[in-house]
Amino acid sequence: MLTEVLPRVEAEYLVVKDRNSRAIAGLSMGGSESLLTGLNTLDKFGWIGAFSSGGISEDFDKEFPSLNAKSAEQLRLLWIACGTDDRLIDINRKVRAWLASNNIKHVDIETPGYHTWMVWRRNLTEFTSLLFR
């Protein structure tokens, strides 16, 4: 993402090369990748969305070593959503609880549903309506 995709997009398209003009989001394993990439490179992304994140360890201090309330102040939006019937609801709740215990501002979204496109589609509609404001 950081060494291939971002440089390619910036070379090929007329985009604003500023963290406040960049968002990263993903679902399932991509949700974890969005959290790992976005929260560990706050200088690159101002907007982060994670939908039904899976594949992240519960050692959040190790996963996000430089993330704290002060560093997270530069985030414009940190959105973490999961369906209440999703098998990944537990890890998503743990991530959100860890963020809250560290006074890191984020949006918690739980909606009825499983690990399905219908849940993500509703979340994506809400998330994208908040971007770049």
Side-chain angles (χ1 to χ4, degrees):
M1 172 61 88
L2 300 175
T3 60
E4 293 180 26
V5 175
L6 210 54
R8 180 74 181 260
V9 167
E10 291 177 348
E12 299 288 327
Y13 299 96
L14 182 60
V15 296
V16 178
K17 300 173 185 176
D18 172 276
R19 65 172 302 285
N20 288 319
S21 299
R22 278 196 209 109
I24 186 168
L27 55 90
S28 196
M29 182 65 81
S32 293
E33 288 298 319
S34 294
L35 290 174
L36 290 166
T37 302
L39 294 175
N40 287 312
T41 57
L42 292 172
D43 61 318
K44 303 272 188 242
F45 300 96
W47 312 79
I48 301 170
F51 307 88
S52 304
S53 299
I56 194 168
S57 87
E58 291 185 30
D59 189 355
F60 304 122
D61 291 323
K62 182 181 174 189
E63 296 284 15
F64 310 109
S66 61
L67 185 64
N68 56 52
K70 181 70 175 162
S71 66
E73 285 178 359
Q74 57 190 310
L75 280 172
R76 305 290 303 267
L77 177 63
L78 174 54
W79 172 281
I80 301 177
C82 193
T84 55
D85 301 307
D86 193 318
R87 61 185 167 72
L88 297 171
I89 190 68
D90 186 52
I91 189 68
N92 281 264
R93 286 176 175 160
K94 288 177 180 177
V95 168
R96 295 185 335 240
W98 180 82
L99 291 167
S101 73
N102 285 285
N103 298 313
I104 297 169
K105 186 179 170 187
H106 62 285
V107 178
D108 295 352
I109 302 295
E110 287 189 8
T111 56
Y114 294 88
H115 198 77
T116 64
W117 176 243
M118 291 306 292
V119 171
W120 301 323
R121 191 169 94 179
R122 287 190 301 266
N123 294 152
L124 184 62
T125 300
E126 286 186 49
F127 174 70
T128 56
S129 71
L130 300 173
L131 292 177
F132 312 117
R133 293 181 173 236

